[in-house]
Amino acid sequence: MSDRNFDPEATREVARTDVPVLADAYEALEQLVVDAGGHLETNGMSAEVAAVFTDYHLLLRNAVVESRQNYDRLGPELEQIADDDELAEGEIAASMSALEEAASADFETGGYTPMEEGQSGDSLTEAPSEFDKHLGGSSSTRTEGTAL
């Protein structure tokens, strides 16, 4: 499909090159935050400041750990998304091809003849109607926009 907005190869490239860099950066940051937590008691802070700093440290540590875990999972998930997109695109292309073949076969067997330039189609008021026998009229007496 030429107007694609989602490129599986570009997604795989991000999954294989960019995401691991981010995951590694968060892993290094995680280690720094965990190490900083070991020094909370020895900084000579007041109990009040230490309590607030401890709460902040736990919040920061949890955010960094969860972010690293998310990046660790993101690479494989992006690979799966790219695989799924290719599979779906293949199924869509096969369906469209089958529809195109069926339409071509219908035109060939039905004797489709394209109109010449300047030629007009048959009048719809003169077209036969399958309902004429039920309505008591004939298509030749019907006027445009009416049943009879």
Side-chain angles (χ1 to χ4, degrees), residues 26 57-70:
Y26 270 93
H57 177 264
L58 291 175
L59 177 67
L60 179 62
R61 188 192 70 195
N62 289 343
V64 170
V65 168
E66 289 176 13
S67 295
R68 191 235 344 124
Q69 290 170 344
N70 287 335

Side-chain angles (χ1 to χ4, degrees), residues 8-148:
E9 285 308 312
T11 302
R12 284 189 186 92
E13 178 75 15
V14 168
R16 294 174 184 159
T17 59
D18 299 332
V19 172
V21 170
L22 292 169
D24 290 346
Y26 270 93
E27 186 173 8
L29 182 58
E30 178 183 349
Q31 191 58 51
L32 289 171
V33 172
V34 169
D35 290 347
H39 302 289
L40 290 178
E41 304 286 332
T42 62
N43 285 337
M45 294 183 234
S46 68
E48 295 84 13
V49 172
V52 172
F53 190 77
T54 300
D55 288 343
Y56 168 74
H57 177 264
L58 291 175
L59 177 67
L60 179 62
R61 188 192 70 195
N62 289 343
V64 170
V65 168
E66 289 176 13
S67 295
R68 191 235 344 124
Q69 290 170 344
N70 287 335
Y71 279 114
D72 285 343
R73 290 188 296 261
L74 181 60
E77 289 299 320
L78 286 175
E79 294 265 2
Q80 184 62 52
I81 288 169
D83 292 345
D84 291 347
D85 182 62
E86 283 183 336
L87 178 64
E89 185 175 354
E91 291 172 356
I92 290 169
S95 294
M96 293 300 286
S97 178
L99 287 172
E100 181 183 14
E101 289 174 17
S104 293
D106 286 348
F107 285 133
E108 288 173 12
T109 60
Y112 172 76
T113 306
M115 290 192 325
E116 305 262 336
E117 188 173 334
Q119 180 184 3
S120 63
D122 295 332
S123 169
L124 293 178
T125 60
E126 297 174 12
S129 171
E130 63 182 274
F131 300 109
D132 283 344
K133 61 184 173 200
H134 301 291
L135 298 174
S138 71
S139 60
S140 62
T141 61
R142 202 169 351 112
T143 58
E144 195 83 32
T146 64
L148 293 175

Side-chain angles (χ1 to χ4, degrees), residues 3-7:
D3 59 344
R4 165 192 283 177
N5 293 326
F6 183 77
D7 182 5

